[in-house]
Amino acid sequence: DRVWVPHEDHAYLAGRITSLTPQLEIKTDLAGIIKLKTSQINLLQHCGSHVDNAVENLVDLDELSEGAILHHIRKRYVASEIYTHVGSILVAVNPFERLPIYGENDIKKANSGGVAYPHVYVTGATAYQQMKMNNKNQAVLISGESGAGKTETTKCVLKYLSAVGANPNHKTNSSANQPGIEEQILQSNPLLEALGNSKTLRNNNSSRFGKWMVVDFDSNAHIKGCEIVNYLLEKSRVVTQSSMERNYHIFYQVVAGTTTEQKQKLKIKNSDEYRYCNTSGCIRIDGVDDVAEYKGVLEAMKTLQFTGDMQLGMLQVLIAILTLGNLDFNKGNDVSTDTSVVAPASAQDLANIQV
């Protein structure tokens, strides 16, 4: 009979016991022979008959253990099937690549009402259909460790809801620059990611804040609005970052993406000249174009109907923050209190701040 045997790299592997004495020997497909002391036999777990089966929902297994769960998730992941159901829970493994499974046809398939299969669109479809049928609020909870893919999964759910919940009677008034609410919801992501995401050691686009989004629907199940609440922003990242991590994306984007005229007017320097950007040893991310990303942020602000003055004000505040990080201070002259004054060498930087 097969058993689950603990393994340092794979957590658990399926194997067959080939010897009981003088020590345990278990033959596995991935790691060859694994040897254990006979006293460690209690570490082995019984393995069901499902090991070689193709399983989409793990509640269908004849035994449910940690080894069984990891085995089938790993097996599906190797076959580029990153989603697996455990009952109504959807388990996703980040493939760290773009897969062709999020197109319009995939949205239509998930919305067809057929047999449920593991996919983030199907999870979104379940919540949407339950809301329509029962007239009750629904929630999609997305959780996981850093780098698991929470940000991308959230965008997938919003993409699905924006597609199926779009009002067919709504016509975008291009001349008045009034995009549809569905487009505004989707375009909120580039702006939120620029201001609240950064590169960490584990993830090039790690969200450093929590996000609660409420999508409002009318009686016809058409989207009519969206509320976004952000909380627990990692504010300390603005002034200090761990080695080989970055500050928030927006700082590098505005420095790289602003026009020559804006750079001259606001006295914008290069990223490697700002302490808030140059002390961690990482300024650029391989494969990421900060200029292109900034263009996406500008397009998002346009879609969200930020006025020119609002965009300028935001830019001025961001450059002011970077400039403040370059200031040096000397001890103040008042000996009776603990004071400080801007060092003469930083006077020009202080004068350049425009807010």
Side-chain angles (χ1 to χ4, degrees), residues 158-171:
L158 291 176
K159 180 180 178 180
Y160 172 83
L161 293 177
S162 297
V164 300
N167 190 337
N169 297 321
H170 174 80
K171 301 293 182 181

Side-chain angles (χ1 to χ4, degrees), residues 123-291:
T123 299
T126 301
Y128 181 70
Q129 294 300 331
Q130 288 292 323
M131 178 197 70
K132 289 178 63 177
M133 290 188 297
N134 301 321
N135 196 32
K136 291 184 177 180
N137 296 336
Q138 302 293 315
V140 178
L141 176 63
I142 301 171
S143 64
E145 64 178 12
S146 180
K150 299 183 295 297
T151 298
E152 294 302 317
T153 299
T154 300
K155 289 191 286 189
C156 287
V157 173
L158 291 176
K159 180 180 178 180
Y160 172 83
L161 293 177
S162 297
V164 300
N167 190 337
N169 297 321
H170 174 80
K171 301 293 182 181
T172 299
N173 187 344
S174 301
S175 61
N177 193 27
Q178 294 179 348
I181 186 63
E182 302 86 8
E183 184 181 357
Q184 290 183 324
I185 292 174
L186 293 177
Q187 282 292 78
S188 68
N189 280 301
L191 185 57
L192 289 173
E193 289 183 21
L195 291 166
N197 288 25
S198 68
K199 177 191 179 300
T200 65
L201 293 178
R202 303 181 64 182
N203 185 357
N204 285 347
N205 189 34
S206 177
S207 297
R208 310 314 299 167
F209 66 103
K211 180 166 58 178
W212 171 260
M213 303 187 72
V214 178
V215 182
D216 299 316
F217 294 83
D218 61 22
S219 58
N220 295 315
H222 296 148
I223 293 177
K224 66 176 184 179
C226 180
E227 308 159 47
I228 304 175
V229 178
N230 303 318
Y231 54 92
L232 297 178
L233 178 68
E234 185 187 15
K235 297 177 182 179
S236 61
R237 182 169 292 270
V238 174
V239 298
T240 182
Q241 308 89 41
S242 298
S243 176
M244 299 311 296
E245 295 192 350
R246 289 212 316 180
N247 208 323
Y248 291 105
H249 294 323
I250 191 64
F251 291 115
Y252 307 89
Q253 292 171 358
V254 297
V255 170
T258 46
T259 65
T260 301
E261 181 181 355
Q262 289 174 321
K263 286 181 169 63
Q264 293 175 346
K265 182 178 180 180
L266 298 178
K267 311 298 183 184
I268 301 176
K269 302 178 181 181
N270 296 322
S271 293
D272 56 8
E273 297 179 85
Y274 289 113
R275 291 174 182 168
Y276 286 170
C277 295
N278 66 10
T279 57
S280 68
C282 179
I283 293 179
R284 295 171 182 82
I285 304 175
D286 292 339
V288 175
D289 185 345
D290 285 322
V291 175

Side-chain angles (χ1 to χ4, degrees), residues 279-348:
T279 57
S280 68
C282 179
I283 293 179
R284 295 171 182 82
I285 304 175
D286 292 339
V288 175
D289 185 345
D290 285 322
V291 175
E293 294 293 324
Y294 186 59
K295 290 180 180 179
V297 170
L298 293 178
E299 185 62 31
M301 288 194 288
K302 179 180 178 182
T303 301
L304 295 169
Q305 302 182 47
F306 279 50
T307 65
D309 287 342
M310 292 172 65
Q311 294 183 40
L312 176 60
M314 175 178 163
L315 177 59
Q316 288 175 326
V317 169
L318 291 169
I319 298 304
I321 292 172
L322 290 178
T323 303
L324 286 172
N326 281 1
L327 299 184
D328 292 315
F329 295 86
N330 293 334
K331 184 174 178 58
N333 296 324
D334 189 348
V335 295
S336 62
T337 59
D338 187 11
T339 62
S340 62
V341 296
V342 175
S346 297
Q348 187 58 55

Side-chain angles (χ1 to χ4, degrees), residues 5-7 13 18 24-28 31-36:
V5 55
H7 189 270
L13 290 176
T18 58
L24 289 174
E25 292 187 0
I26 302 97
K27 184 178 181 180
T28 67
I33 300 294
I34 296 178
K35 298 180 180 181
L36 299 174

